[in-house]
Amino acid sequence: MSTREILTIQLGHYSNYVGAHFWNIQELSFDYTGTVKTEVNHDILYREGQTSTGEVTYTPRLLLADLKGSLKTLPATGGLESATNDEGDLPWSYVEKIEDPPAEKNEFLSDIEAENPPDTQDKKYILEDNINTWTDYLYPRFHSRTINVIKSYQHGDEHEGFDIGSTGRSIWKSDYGDTFTDNIRKYVEECDSMQGFQVNFDCYNGFSGLAIGCIEHLADEYSKTVLAYPIIPSYFNDNNPANQEERDTSNLKDSMRLVNIALAIEELSQNASLFVPLCTSDKGWRKPGNPRSFEYVSYNHALYYHSSALLASALDTLSQKYRHKTNIYTLSDMCADLTGYGRKMAAASLRLPFAFHESEYLIDYLNTTTQPIYTPITPSCKIATDKIFQLITVRGIPENYLKAPMKEAKEQMNIPAYRCRDIKEMFELYFQANNFLSATNVTVCDKPLEVKNPYPNIFSDKLNKYGFIQDDARTSNIQSCPVIAGYHNGNFMADMIEKLHREVSRIKFAKLHKFKEEGLEAADYQECLDRLAEFKDNYEDDFEL
């Protein structure tokens, strides 16, 4: 079986929050006993190597970037003891002398690093008050070339923030970018049949420019698919100003974020194979807005630890499409299917958990529900029901939940869906009935999403340990849950781009002095906005599937 490797690139602090949950989900679902059927080909995202002492390692094929001071408990060398990469070269940060005292570790990190670690899945951790950065709940350790710290900017510095896309562009053109591209090359040279690149990045600050520089490099140097996720947090610290001065500061920061987003999306329309903006709040542009609602989930949208877990769950589920062992569908196939007519931007959705009663059948639930079975996680986006193309992934619904046996079926026999032989057929019939002039490709995975520690405790006690609704309150930790996630594209995306263009056009660029100081001219800025408006036109012509 061909490995079909993918290199993942994470750029930015919030994207690393998402990434920490994503890699936790991967690693905590590994089976080391050989007794569990594995649906996913983990070699697509992971690589095998060795430490300098000969110990075999299995680490994410990953490059990430963050600012100085963001790592806390995680060494810049990735955290593996006696770590060195296989070619014998050391990362440029390896010999840096660390003067700061070691950061204090929370209970979860202390447990997993103890000499005789306890079973962390038997404990209930309350980490919400002990998460200061994404490394505070990171379970895996990384290859020595994975972490690339931008040392010229300090994380959390309010006076000299890394908040302009042009600044990230400048960093990319420096020695930092040369080192980063060299690390990309080393990963690519290790691959036998590479699918392409998955780039997750903060699109509202300096990392937007760093990401665009990186994606341009990937497009120029490698004839591979580039799937990008520009990510916006669900909340910013300046979203609730208390006085006029704070309101003025918040509005200025908001305008800067909005310009960064607009510039990034326009550039992605030229250089990415496909890009899917992500945010768990409804607006995204200007202020993120109200948090999206997920039934049987109660999360604090102001906590990155919470909101990033939802996005990571979506990414893990969506990526099943091109990581499943039985599926020959590749990253290139997926991007080609979704991006007809120059529509390179798509929306994403999530239903977490996809919960119905433990004594109910799927056929009854789908036949009676009047609500959409997924929630958009793309900003300023309401997914249409007609004239769309969508790729849906369903996971974690056992076949015995499909329908009643014939001798017990009773009224179910009168439902056309009773003829469906499996989960896939039933969902295909559901979407055929509910989406006019649309095409839906459904992937079904047996294995549910595993939400083991340190996944946040955001699920209702009405769910049993497998994520289905029960009559009695749950007393033990939830271990897994069924999930639906999807990619969607169609005319409805034009409205999203129009909202972004309208908001950013209201900004008086002359007042954003920092952009001009970083080299962005007003004429170039206006030209970018014009191209963004032209990109919207790709979604406005009627088409037939």
Side-chain angles (χ1 to χ4, degrees):
M1 179 177 63
S2 175
T3 300
R4 300 180 290 129
E5 301 95 341
I6 291 173
L7 172 59
T8 303
I9 299 174
Q10 291 170 197
L11 306 173
H13 196 64
Y14 186 67
S15 293
N16 286 325
Y17 263 85
V18 177
H21 278 301
F22 179 84
W23 298 112
N24 284 352
I25 290 169
Q26 307 308 308
E27 204 128 331
L28 290 167
S29 67
F30 286 172
D31 170 50
Y32 296 99
T33 66
T35 60
V36 179
K37 178 184 176 183
T38 302
E39 295 178 288
V40 170
N41 180 1
H42 291 294
D43 292 338
I44 290 176
L45 296 182
Y46 276 73
R47 66 182 293 282
E48 188 175 300
Q50 284 187 338
T51 66
S52 58
T53 58
E55 180 183 354
V56 176
T57 62
Y58 197 57
T59 53
R61 189 177 295 103
L62 169 68
L63 290 171
L64 66 82
D66 212 328
L67 303 183
K68 181 181 178 182
S70 62
L71 300 182
K72 301 297 183 184
T73 58
L74 181 66
T77 52
L80 289 174
E81 294 299 324
S82 305
T84 181
N85 76 28
D86 300 19
E87 299 82 4
D89 58 330
L90 296 174
W92 59 271
S93 59
Y94 188 82
V95 295
E96 179 189 11
K97 187 177 180 181
I98 305 296
E99 300 289 353
D100 295 332
E104 184 177 348
K105 296 177 181 178
N106 57 41
E107 184 183 9
F108 173 74
L109 291 182
S110 297
D111 281 352
I112 64 174
E113 295 177 9
E115 187 171 342
N116 296 304
D119 186 346
T120 58
Q121 299 311 316
D122 286 340
K123 297 182 67 173
K124 275 196 174 183
Y125 295 95
I126 308 298
L127 297 176
E128 279 73 6
D129 295 332
N130 298 296
I131 301 293
N132 297 309
T133 186
W134 53 272
T135 63
D136 285 335
Y137 59 92
L138 180 70
Y139 181 82
R141 291 300 176 256
F142 296 139
H143 188 274
S144 57
R145 77 168 76 105
T146 287
I147 299 172
N148 299 264
V149 176
I150 298 177
K151 297 181 180 180
S152 50
Y153 287 87
Q154 180 74 31
H155 173 67
D157 187 344
E158 294 293 329
H159 302 291
E160 192 176 358
F162 191 57
D163 51 9
I164 300 295
S166 302
T167 307
R169 282 276 200 167
S170 299
I171 293 290
W172 180 259
K173 293 176 182 177
S174 69
D175 291 343
Y176 180 91
D178 292 339
T179 302
F180 204 96
T181 56
D182 195 43
N183 285 333
I184 292 173
R185 176 186 57 78
K186 289 173 182 175
Y187 271 129
V188 172
E189 288 176 350
E190 294 173 353
C191 298
D192 295 323
S193 54
M194 190 177 193
Q195 288 191 63
F197 306 89
Q198 181 172 287
V199 184
N200 312 329
F201 69 95
D202 295 358
C203 70
Y204 60 93
N205 56 20
F207 286 103
S208 64
L210 187 76
I212 294 304
C214 178
I215 290 170
E216 284 183 353
H217 170 78
L218 298 177
D220 290 342
E221 294 295 322
Y222 305 98
S223 56
K224 302 293 181 182
T225 301
V226 179
L227 169 61
Y229 293 101
I231 301 176
I232 305 169
S234 55
Y235 181 82
F236 294 102
N237 290 333
D238 58 85
N239 281 169
N240 294 309
N243 53 52
Q244 188 58 47
E245 182 181 359
E246 290 184 4
R247 275 191 288 274
D248 292 341
T249 300
S250 178
N251 288 336
L252 177 61
K253 289 184 176 181
D254 212 35
S255 295
M256 293 166 63
R257 290 191 288 258
L258 187 59
V259 170
N260 287 327
I261 292 168
L263 295 176
I265 284 181
E266 190 281 317
E267 292 272 10
L268 287 169
S269 70
Q270 300 182 55
N271 295 297
S273 306
L274 168 69
F275 64 100
V276 186
L278 299 178
C279 183
T280 59
S281 289
D282 58 0
K283 290 183 180 178
W285 325 142
R286 271 300 171 190
K287 288 179 173 58
N290 296 319
R292 300 279 193 184
S293 177
F294 298 88
E295 197 172 12
Y296 301 105
V297 166
S298 178
Y299 72 103
N300 183 348
H301 77 295
L303 289 182
Y304 286 3
Y305 170 58
H306 278 193
S307 62
S308 61
L310 297 172
L311 296 184
S313 302
L315 290 177
D316 179 68
T317 302
L318 291 167
S319 65
Q320 300 287 318
K321 189 76 181 171
Y322 46 86
R323 295 194 291 136
H324 208 270
K325 284 183 176 179
T326 61
N327 199 339
I328 60 172
Y329 209 71
T330 65
L331 201 62
S332 177
D333 295 332
M334 189 187 80
C335 293
D337 282 349
L338 279 167
T339 57
Y341 305 91
R343 299 175 173 188
K344 286 189 175 184
M345 182 167 67
S349 67
L350 175 68
R351 174 72 175 274
L352 174 103
F354 183 72
F356 50 94
H357 201 276
E358 60 185 357
S359 63
E360 189 179 9
Y361 288 102
L362 177 64
I363 186 172
D364 294 321
Y365 176 81
L366 293 179
N367 191 53
T368 57
T369 185
T370 57
Q371 301 297 320
I373 64 170
Y374 47 65
T375 298
I377 52 171
T378 290
S380 291
C381 175
K382 183 178 180 181
I383 298 170
T385 56
D386 301 333
K387 295 184 178 180
I388 58 174
F389 187 91
Q390 54 190 359
L391 305 177
I392 303 293
T393 300
V394 181
R395 66 191 302 186
I397 301 176
E399 286 292 336
N400 61 346
Y401 276 66
L402 180 65
K403 59 185 179 181
M406 190 171 293
K407 61 182 179 180
E408 302 171 12
K410 299 180 181 178
E411 289 83 3
Q412 284 187 10
M413 298 284 287
N414 300 321
I415 304 173
Y418 193 80
R419 295 193 299 271
C420 296
R421 294 166 295 178
D422 52 33
I423 303 289
K424 179 180 173 69
E425 282 191 9
M426 191 166 288
F427 273 100
E428 286 174 340
L429 182 60
Y430 171 84
F431 286 113
Q432 182 181 342
N434 286 275
N435 298 134
F436 178 69
L437 284 178
S438 300
T440 303
N441 182 300
V442 177
T443 296
V444 173
C445 304
D446 294 335
K447 194 170 184 180
L449 175 74
E450 298 196 10
V451 290
K452 299 176 180 177
N453 285 325
Y455 199 97
N457 299 306
I458 56 177
F459 295 99
S460 168
D461 287 342
K462 293 180 180 179
L463 302 177
N464 65 21
K465 65 185 294 186
Y466 304 111
F468 291 93
I469 305 165
Q470 61 183 6
D471 295 324
D472 301 323
R474 173 170 40 87
T475 56
S476 59
N477 290 358
I478 184 170
Q479 294 293 307
S480 63
C481 63
V483 177
I484 291 181
Y487 296 106
H488 315 263
N489 212 342
N491 292 2
F492 69 93
M493 295 295 292
D495 184 54
M496 172 190 169
I497 303 170
E498 171 61 31
K499 290 176 182 175
L500 174 61
H501 186 269
R502 183 169 62 245
E503 288 287 347
V504 76
S505 297
R506 291 172 176 168
I507 295 173
K508 294 182 179 179
F509 183 74
K511 293 186 176 181
L512 301 180
H513 305 294
K514 201 167 182 180
F515 282 90
K516 189 165 185 178
E517 291 170 3
E518 290 290 339
L520 180 62
E521 298 293 336
D524 295 333
Y525 172 71
Q526 186 57 51
E527 187 177 338
C528 175
L529 295 190
D530 293 342
R531 289 196 297 267
L532 185 64
E534 292 172 6
F535 177 58
K536 184 196 70 170
D537 293 342
N538 293 338
Y539 294 86
E540 294 194 322
D541 295 329
D542 289 335
F543 72 99
E544 293 183 3
L545 290 162

